[in-house]
Amino acid sequence: MRSREAVVQMPVFQNADAELFRRILDALPYPIFWKGVDLRYLGCNTAFARLSGLEHPDRVVGLTDHDLPWRTGDADFYRSCDQEVLRTGAPLPEFEEAVRDSTGWHRWTQTSKVPLRDERGGICGVLGILVDVSSRHEAQEQLQMALEAGAASNRLLKAQVLERESMQRALATSEMRLRTAVRGARMIIWALDARGTFTFSDGGGLAALGLLPGVLVGLNIFDHYRNNPDIVRQARRALAGESFAEYTLFGRLHYETHYTPVYDETGTLTGAIGIATDVEERVRYHEMLEAELERTRGQLLQVERLATLGTLAAGVGHELRNISTVLNSLRSYFTECAEQGIPPDPEELKELGWACEHVATHGRHLMDLGRPGKTRVERVDLRELVAGTLAMLRTAGRIKHVKVSLSAPESPLWLEVSRTRVEQVLLNLVSNAADAVEPVRDRTAEVCVRLHEDMTAGLVCCRVEDTGVGIPEDKLSNIFEPWFTTKSPGRGTGLGLPVVRTIIQECGGDLLVESQEGKGSAFTFRLRAAGSPA
């Protein structure tokens, strides 16, 4: 918010104008107050009266901060800030402070204070505006970030307080201060009559739209903005008596729009007041957070994939060590044959071929696991993908000592997905199932992968069942939380299932879990079927 200072030299408004400006002042969501040089309140708007626990803004006149429900230390601080403004004659730079309202609710406000001067330039009081920034503080605490939100639509009123005895003149001065503040802020304020005709338009935000203050007065909002359905819809809601706030995109700018219907003393709706605040910086901040979350999510997927690679690589290394023993034996045999000048036994040559083929298979599996998790969508047969994943796990020794079966239909189960991501889902689910059955001794340790197609729903389903230890009922609701694991220390990272659910959801599917402690678990994911290729 930019602090500005000016001397009000405007004529006193008529009663109708004064009432309109009072309504506009009270429609503002930001608490506003003004004090005399004796630091007694001369007036405030409805928002400040509500914050102070007063029934009406007029109740504040003549009170000091010690008469309001502030804590003693806070009241002394407010007065010291006011005295600094009166002493220096300069606006106090905006600052954030903690405020407790009449109900004891703790708020954070961004406060600005500016000196009020009379027509001769003498200081005659202090004007203050409080903008509630509690939500921003909460967001910063939750995200543990020290980012500063962009400059909000704060501004300082430039005006002068005339004699307290003349309530009409005091109100006119307050209205002029509001007009000055609005024109100095990235905000637009307008008023409509019951037919939708502009009776007031002002604010510094009009410049971004190529408009001048007052240029809309006399135009009908439904005719002038008939090509903007959002503006027309909002005006109809407000003139139907609805008070609301929502975001609006006007051109390339984002605004937060507040509408308040206006009624006369008989309760008849006479129009509406609208306030639009430029929230472009808030939107950019939100987009930045979304991009950062997406980047972090991608990193999490790759970290889990590499963790799986590390686990499986140990098993592959063991297999390669066994094959190297065979190759060394064959090397010695072929050396002897060469030295004696006799041809090698065909069976030994077959064994050499077997060893080379297995080395190539292990290498290929390691390369498949280690490649980055590309998100390129392609048509794949889930049966082939499951069979390849089980082969990888067998190669790595992860399911060598577990009975693993695959039940699949004869016809292909086509999907249009990222091969590597669905492969990562299968690696996690089957590895978890193998870990779950490892400690079982009183029944068959078995893992079964069942595939089928739900023709009615158009879904391809994969169910991974195990006869393992199961998951306690009180922990089922936590299994998809990052870092949560039921495995013993060193056996799990707690990232597998959260990553699995994220991948399935990004592929447009869902993940279901059933488990009974002591009997086993079943994880089922369902993805949209792609149909047979043309």
Side-chain angles (χ1 to χ4, degrees):
M1 188 182 299
R2 299 179 178 86
S3 299
R4 301 186 178 183
E5 179 183 0
V7 177
V8 175
Q9 296 178 344
M10 296 295 291
V12 177
F13 293 154
Q14 299 300 321
N15 289 337
D17 290 338
E19 180 61 23
L20 175 60
F21 273 89
R22 164 54 68 181
R23 288 177 178 174
I24 293 175
L25 187 67
D26 289 340
L28 284 172
Y30 309 129
I32 303 174
F33 66 87
W34 48 97
K35 301 178 182 178
V37 294
D38 58 355
L39 300 186
R40 291 184 178 275
Y41 285 90
L42 301 179
C44 69
N45 67 348
T46 299
F48 187 85
R50 185 164 49 248
L51 179 68
S52 307
L54 301 175
E55 298 177 357
H56 191 274
D58 292 343
R59 296 281 188 177
V60 81
V61 176
L63 300 180
T64 68
D65 286 308
H66 289 291
D67 298 322
L68 296 179
W70 321 135
R71 294 181 299 187
T72 301
D74 292 340
D76 292 339
F77 175 71
Y78 303 153
R79 291 172 63 86
S80 67
C81 292
D82 296 337
Q83 290 169 348
E84 179 69 11
V85 173
L86 294 174
R87 183 182 65 81
T88 63
L92 191 66
E94 60 186 29
F95 59 93
E96 294 183 358
E97 60 182 351
V99 175
R100 292 183 181 273
D101 62 14
S102 58
T103 65
W105 185 30
H106 180 84
R107 303 167 181 251
W108 278 96
T109 65
Q110 185 168 279
T111 304
S112 299
K113 293 186 178 182
V114 65
L116 300 176
R117 298 182 182 275
D118 57 25
E119 295 177 346
R120 295 183 299 277
I123 297 176
C124 61
V126 177
L127 172 69
I129 301 178
L130 292 80
V131 178
D132 193 332
V133 294
S134 302
S135 60
R136 188 179 70 194
H137 268 263
E138 292 173 2
Q140 289 173 334
E141 292 174 0
Q142 293 171 359
L143 297 174
Q144 296 180 348
M145 300 177 69
L147 299 176
E148 294 182 359
S153 302
N154 298 337
R155 65 262 157 231
L156 295 175
L157 300 175
K158 304 171 182 182
Q160 140 190 42
V161 175
L162 302 178
E163 299 178 0
R164 283 195 302 180
E165 295 76 14
S166 175
M167 295 302 297
Q168 171 108 14
R169 188 168 181 80
L171 178 59
T173 302
S174 300
E175 293 161 356
M176 194 58 237
R177 290 198 301 270
L178 175 61
R179 181 187 294 274
T180 303
V182 167
R183 290 185 178 178
R186 298 193 313 191
M187 169 186 291
I188 305 172
I189 299 180
W190 65 95
L192 305 173
D193 65 14
R195 296 183 299 277
T197 300
F198 285 98
T199 59
F200 175 84
S201 66
D202 211 330
L206 287 172
L209 305 179
L211 301 174
L212 296 174
V215 73
L216 295 175
V217 174
L219 299 178
N220 187 276
I221 192 170
F222 302 115
D223 294 335
H224 191 67
Y225 290 108
R226 58 182 174 274
N227 294 326
N228 192 317
D230 286 339
I231 292 180
V232 171
R233 175 180 54 79
Q234 291 173 0
R236 292 193 188 281
R237 289 176 61 188
L239 294 177
E242 184 178 354
S243 179
F244 62 92
E246 67 176 51
Y247 289 95
T248 306
L249 179 63
F250 192 93
R252 295 184 177 180
L253 300 178
H254 293 82
Y255 291 91
E256 183 178 13
T257 302
H258 294 259
Y259 256 115
T260 302
V262 178
Y263 300 88
D264 62 17
E265 60 276 4
T266 65
T268 302
L269 188 142
T270 60
I273 294 174
I275 303 172
T277 305
D278 186 345
V279 293
E280 192 65 25
E281 293 186 6
R282 189 188 309 172
V283 171
R284 286 199 297 268
Y285 177 70
H286 177 75
E287 292 174 348
M288 180 191 69
L289 289 181
E290 287 293 332
E292 181 64 20
L293 286 175
E294 182 62 28
R295 187 180 68 84
T296 302
R297 188 159 44 243
Q299 291 176 341
L300 183 63
L301 293 176
Q302 186 62 14
V303 165
E304 172 59 20
R305 187 173 182 84
L306 291 176
T308 303
L309 172 63
T311 301
L312 299 184
V316 172
H318 176 74
E319 294 295 320
L320 289 176
R321 185 165 58 249
N322 292 337
I323 294 175
S324 69
T325 301
V326 174
L327 289 174
N328 280 328
S329 175
L330 290 173
R331 179 176 61 83
S332 299
Y333 169 73
F334 290 136
T335 299
E336 291 178 2
C337 289
E339 291 175 349
Q340 297 175 12
I342 60 175
D345 188 335
E347 291 300 323
E348 297 297 334
L349 291 175
K350 288 182 182 180
E351 187 172 358
L352 176 62
W354 172 88
C356 292
E357 180 181 348
H358 276 64
V359 168
T361 299
H362 293 328
R364 184 174 65 254
H365 285 172
L366 280 179
M367 291 178 66
D368 288 342
L369 284 170
R371 67 179 180 267
K374 299 178 182 178
T375 58
R376 181 174 65 86
V377 174
E378 57 184 303
R379 178 181 290 272
V380 298
D381 181 358
L382 184 59
R383 301 177 310 159
E384 176 267 329
L385 201 57
V386 171
T389 301
L390 294 180
M392 276 193 234
L393 291 170
R394 288 192 182 97
T395 297
R398 289 287 288 117
I399 56 176
K400 178 181 292 187
H401 304 295
V402 178
K403 180 181 178 182
V404 179
S405 60
L406 171 61
S407 173
E410 294 182 359
S411 57
L413 299 174
W414 295 108
L415 297 172
E416 288 188 356
V417 293
S418 166
R419 172 185 292 271
T420 56
R421 290 202 168 185
V422 176
E423 183 181 78
Q424 188 170 354
V425 168
L426 293 168
L427 286 170
N428 273 285
L429 294 182
V430 177
S431 294
N432 285 348
D435 289 340
V437 301
E438 184 177 343
V440 171
R441 298 291 182 270
D442 59 345
R443 58 187 179 278
T444 303
E446 183 177 3
V447 175
C448 182
V449 182
R450 303 182 187 275
L451 306 179
H452 73 278
E453 183 171 3
D454 185 340
M455 298 290 188
T456 303
L459 299 173
V460 171
C461 306
C462 175
R463 181 181 177 91
V464 180
E465 304 172 349
D466 67 67
T467 59
V469 295
I471 304 171
E473 185 176 355
D474 61 337
K475 294 182 179 179
L476 267 177
S477 60
N478 305 115
I479 61 175
F480 294 113
E481 295 177 4
W483 316 117
F484 179 84
T485 180
T486 58
K487 299 178 182 179
S488 58
R491 295 297 302 274
T493 63
L495 293 176
L497 287 179
V499 167
V500 165
R501 185 171 68 169
T502 297
I503 292 175
I504 294 300
Q505 289 175 344
E506 289 180 349
C507 291
D510 58 14
L511 178 64
L512 308 176
V513 58
E514 306 167 43
S515 186
Q516 187 172 357
E517 189 173 8
K519 292 188 176 181
S521 304
F523 287 82
T524 304
F525 66 84
R526 303 183 298 180
L527 297 171
R528 182 64 55 185
S532 300

